[in-house]
Amino acid sequence: MVSTIQNTDVKQKEADRAVVVAVTSRAVFDCGADDGDEVCEVGVAFPLLQALQRVNERLLEENPSESLLFDVVLITSDSQQQQQSSRIISNTRHHGLEISRFCFSSEEDFTESLLKNNVHLFLTTDRDEAAQASQKGVFSALLNGKVASSEQLRVVFCGDAVIRTDTEPPSASQDAAQSFWAQLGEMRRRFGMLDSPLSLVLLTSRGGRESCGTALQTLRSRGVNMDEAYSLAGAPQSPILSLLRPHFLLINHLQD
Amino acid sequence: MSLDPVQVMSGQVKELKVGPSSNGDSRGSWEEKEEIDQDNVGLTTKPKPPKPENAVTVAVSSRVLFRTEREQKVFEQDGVEEYLRFQIEHENEPFTPGPAFPFVKALEAVNCRLRELYPQSEELFDIVLVTYNHAHVGIRLINTINHHNLFIERFCMTGGSSPIGYLKAWQTNLYLSADADKVREALSEGIAAATMFTSEKVTEVSESQLRVAFDGDAVLFSDESERIFKAHGLDKFFEHERDNEDTLLDHGPLKGFLEALGKLQKKFYAKGQRLDCPIRTYLVTARSAASSGIRALKTLRAWGLEIDEALFLAGAPKGPMLEKIRPHIYFDDQMFHVEGAAEMGTVAAHVPYGIAQKHNAKQNISVRK
């Protein structure tokens, strides 16, 4: 059973233009079982939502009738959180989060709520949830377990796997990933080089400069221009990742 | 050829049946991803880059590896957007070699010799491009590296933010940049670093033997003696050095790099190649052989560092001596000497460390970034 509640405090986004990002409520609020305390602790995704909101604010500053905005949806699927639905909604208000919809479902059909809400990117801290969602064709990513501290929304793309056009047609999930990337690219173009609320970062872990160069060119051909690029050529990732401070990390393959 | 991300993340995601677009991965922590199969880096024809902890990592910025004056002018006069547009427009025009280029080529020549003698070893030079350039310039930089046939597989294009953190992450042994502020920052973080300048006159250097020359005080050694000289004059300096002849000098910012070079030299000696060693080091100091130089030599010996040639100039100009040595790079803390060397065609790099920096302001510095 899936139910969706609209947040009347927030102006709803244009369905066919907005970039719908779904986040599990568990990652946003850490509501203890204790009923007495109304205000929940903020979770690891909280800075991410703030960063998404800042991007929206800046987009609207550039163009008040902008429709290419982030549309944030909160997904609640575990039963404990279900009981906290009113607290989730009230905490959203309390923290001034621009969440447009709350989706409640059981653990079995949370993917249904993703599909119903036309989610372009699903973010969670749970590896299994991410796997399940992607099997249903929803582009998913894992949230950074350590809270990212930058104000700027930093999206790191791991560009290692470059797929050459095969005889097989692209799958729905590949299409979803590509369209998400194209949307981000378009959003990035709304801002100048300096002082952008959004930064696109390319990281290639394996392969050498050729892989990185190819990834840069392929992305550019799809209208996605990177701000930063790092080629590790086999060096350990974690020192670099901790410096990059991504809000989330996307692993994808591109098609030529 | 289709690559399944499950293979890409080999050893990590096997138990998970993930669809092609998922990032089903470690629980909120990305450290585990390091267990990527190192043998499968994907470079089949080129040698594999060494692990940072094994290599002598030399980080260079794009402005010292290549000549980018024209582009710098566009940046300064017309702003960043125009600068990037210009770069993209000229993407297929490789940059020409900059001041650090011969040095980098010489490092690669040493690597070739090391690989011949020790095919399995990772104790090699690793050259990393660390630039705060925007990734828009990335393709032009990669094209340039390809054009000049340089072996640079690793880079950081930080898009404007400080590259210092990345220097540490790469375990950088030496950082060369055109930006004195970045160099100072690196030095304060304990990373050997020097500022390089573009000069019109450049004498030819060896393509088969890497030659690195160092000033003594405030480069290999600390600036303690120089402080005495600046504060109390030459006589006091001599007196102090004589009195402290058996006390080791404290180490300076480039000591570690000399040490790294020494370790590689020993690998050649171990294979009977002392006379034919493709690395040669020089000390070029204003100290005198008979007096103040003794303390310098004793210090080097105590540190276990061999330097191939020690040249005590007793205050004579360094330019002519350097012109004879023809090093690929010469490190000095005083702009006066850096400029003097450059006038005679030697590639000299400034180490902005120690007491001499307060006096540099008086010098006529033509820093072309």
Side-chain angles (χ1 to χ4, degrees), chain B residues 58-161:
Chain B
V58 176
V60 293
S61 79
S62 52
R63 287 188 292 164
V64 300
L65 185 57
F66 305 123
R67 290 191 71 146
T68 58
E69 290 111 303
R70 195 175 49 154
E71 288 74 13
Q72 268 309 111
K73 215 186 229 150
V74 173
F75 176 70
E76 279 155 21
Q77 291 176 352
D78 304 319
V80 66
E81 311 269 346
E82 186 53 36
Y83 163 77
L84 291 174
R85 201 201 51 76
F86 184 93
Q87 292 279 28
I88 293 172
E89 200 177 281
H90 295 264
E91 211 157 68
N92 292 314
E93 264 176 54
F95 294 110
T96 51
F101 191 91
F103 175 60
V104 166
K105 275 294 203 187
L107 296 179
E108 289 185 0
V110 174
N111 274 358
C112 278
R113 293 277 303 270
L114 281 169
R115 283 198 176 97
E116 276 168 29
L117 295 175
Y118 300 91
Q120 304 305 320
S121 174
E122 289 211 321
E123 289 171 337
L124 299 162
F125 287 112
D126 185 25
I127 301 136
V128 182
L129 182 67
V130 177
T131 171
Y132 50 109
N133 242 318
H134 209 269
H136 285 209
V137 191
I139 293 171
R140 190 176 183 191
L141 285 169
I142 293 171
N143 285 345
T144 306
I145 292 170
N146 288 342
H147 171 84
H148 291 290
N149 217 10
L150 293 172
F151 188 74
I152 298 175
E153 301 295 341
R154 293 178 166 150
F155 44 82
C156 292
M157 295 175 198
T158 70
S161 39

Side-chain angles (χ1 to χ4, degrees), chain B residues 73-325:
Chain B
K73 215 186 229 150
V74 173
F75 176 70
E76 279 155 21
Q77 291 176 352
D78 304 319
V80 66
E81 311 269 346
E82 186 53 36
Y83 163 77
L84 291 174
R85 201 201 51 76
F86 184 93
Q87 292 279 28
I88 293 172
E89 200 177 281
H90 295 264
E91 211 157 68
N92 292 314
E93 264 176 54
F95 294 110
T96 51
F101 191 91
F103 175 60
V104 166
K105 275 294 203 187
L107 296 179
E108 289 185 0
V110 174
N111 274 358
C112 278
R113 293 277 303 270
L114 281 169
R115 283 198 176 97
E116 276 168 29
L117 295 175
Y118 300 91
Q120 304 305 320
S121 174
E122 289 211 321
E123 289 171 337
L124 299 162
F125 287 112
D126 185 25
I127 301 136
V128 182
L129 182 67
V130 177
T131 171
Y132 50 109
N133 242 318
H134 209 269
H136 285 209
V137 191
I139 293 171
R140 190 176 183 191
L141 285 169
I142 293 171
N143 285 345
T144 306
I145 292 170
N146 288 342
H147 171 84
H148 291 290
N149 217 10
L150 293 172
F151 188 74
I152 298 175
E153 301 295 341
R154 293 178 166 150
F155 44 82
C156 292
M157 295 175 198
T158 70
S161 39
S162 171
I164 304 300
Y166 299 101
L167 294 179
K168 288 208 241 180
W170 289 115
Q171 300 188 51
T172 303
N173 295 86
L174 176 67
Y175 173 52
L176 300 172
S177 169
D179 185 329
D181 290 329
K182 298 275 176 300
V183 169
R184 266 188 285 269
E185 213 187 319
L187 287 174
S188 68
E189 296 286 336
I191 301 169
T195 318
M196 296 190 83
F197 310 93
T198 310
S199 180
E200 288 317 320
K201 179 171 185 192
V202 181
T203 47
E204 250 187 60
V205 286
S206 167
E207 282 185 15
S208 54
Q209 186 185 58
L210 169 71
R211 295 184 185 170
V212 185
F214 301 85
D215 175 29
D217 296 283
V219 173
L220 286 181
F221 311 117
S222 75
D223 69 340
E224 57 193 89
S225 302
E226 220 160 274
R227 284 175 183 267
I228 308 249
F229 169 60
K230 292 266 187 302
H232 305 291
L234 201 54
D235 288 336
K236 206 73 179 122
F237 166 76
F238 280 127
E239 195 187 298
H240 180 265
E241 292 307 289
R242 205 178 44 241
D243 291 342
N244 290 283
E245 209 175 83
D246 292 313
T247 311
L248 298 186
L249 286 160
D250 208 354
H251 69 88
L254 271 288
K255 179 218 175 195
F257 184 62
L258 175 64
E259 208 164 3
L261 291 176
K263 279 203 185 113
L264 291 181
Q265 281 179 309
K266 288 193 174 70
K267 297 188 75 158
F268 288 99
Y269 302 163
K271 296 271 183 170
Q273 298 206 7
R274 188 179 273 269
L275 291 180
D276 193 27
C277 184
I279 301 173
R280 197 159 176 82
T281 56
Y282 303 80
L283 170 67
V284 181
T285 173
R287 286 176 179 251
S288 328
S291 53
S292 51
I294 295 174
R295 192 180 179 198
L297 284 177
K298 284 191 175 183
T299 304
L300 285 174
R301 200 188 308 152
W303 286 346
L305 295 184
E306 290 183 23
I307 203 151
D308 294 299
E309 282 186 44
L311 299 136
F312 297 99
L313 299 174
K318 297 187 179 183
M321 187 57 66
L322 288 166
E323 211 268 320
K324 292 202 166 34
I325 295 171

Side-chain angles (χ1 to χ4, degrees), chain A residues 125-128 130-131 134-135 138-146 158 161 163-164 166 171 173 192-194 206-210 212-213 216-217 220 225-241 243-244 246 248-251 253, chain B residues 1-3 5 8-9 12 15-28 30-31 33-34 36-38 40-41 43 46 49 52 80-81 84 88 91 134-136 138-139 142 145-146 150-159 161 165-166 169-170:
Chain A
T125 47
D126 187 314
R127 176 172 29 174
D128 296 323
S134 67
Q135 288 200 313
V138 179
F139 189 36
S140 313
L142 275 184
L143 286 167
N144 188 356
K146 307 187 241 294
C158 288
I163 290 189
R164 312 226 162 267
D166 265 344
S171 69
S173 48
M193 286 306 136
L194 306 171
R206 304 158 91 229
R209 65 177 185 268
E210 284 309 313
C212 199
L216 283 172
Q217 283 180 313
R220 186 204 281 174
N225 289 305
M226 295 285 127
D227 292 285
E228 302 171 37
Y230 302 84
S231 166
L232 300 188
Q237 280 196 11
S238 71
I240 305 288
L241 276 175
L243 288 166
L244 291 179
F248 51 88
L249 185 71
L250 299 174
I251 299 168
H253 37 247
Chain B
M1 183 194 71
S2 134
L3 282 176
V8 171
M9 311 269 297
Q12 181 51 51
E15 70 275 28
L16 216 56
K17 304 260 185 301
V18 296
S21 64
S22 139
N23 296 288
D25 190 8
S26 45
R27 212 166 291 276
W30 293 318
E31 272 83 38
K33 283 165 63 141
E34 288 172 44
I36 289 169
D37 184 8
Q38 283 283 352
N40 205 13
V41 174
L43 304 173
K46 296 188 252 188
V80 66
E81 311 269 346
L84 291 174
I88 293 172
E91 211 157 68
H134 209 269
H136 285 209
I139 293 171
I142 293 171
I145 292 170
N146 288 342
L150 293 172
F151 188 74
I152 298 175
E153 301 295 341
R154 293 178 166 150
F155 44 82
C156 292
M157 295 175 198
T158 70
S161 39
Y166 299 101
W170 289 115

Side-chain angles (χ1 to χ4, degrees), chain A residues 15-26:
Chain A
D16 51 355
R17 279 292 280 159
V19 181
V20 185
V21 178
V23 191
T24 53
S25 57
R26 191 185 321 113

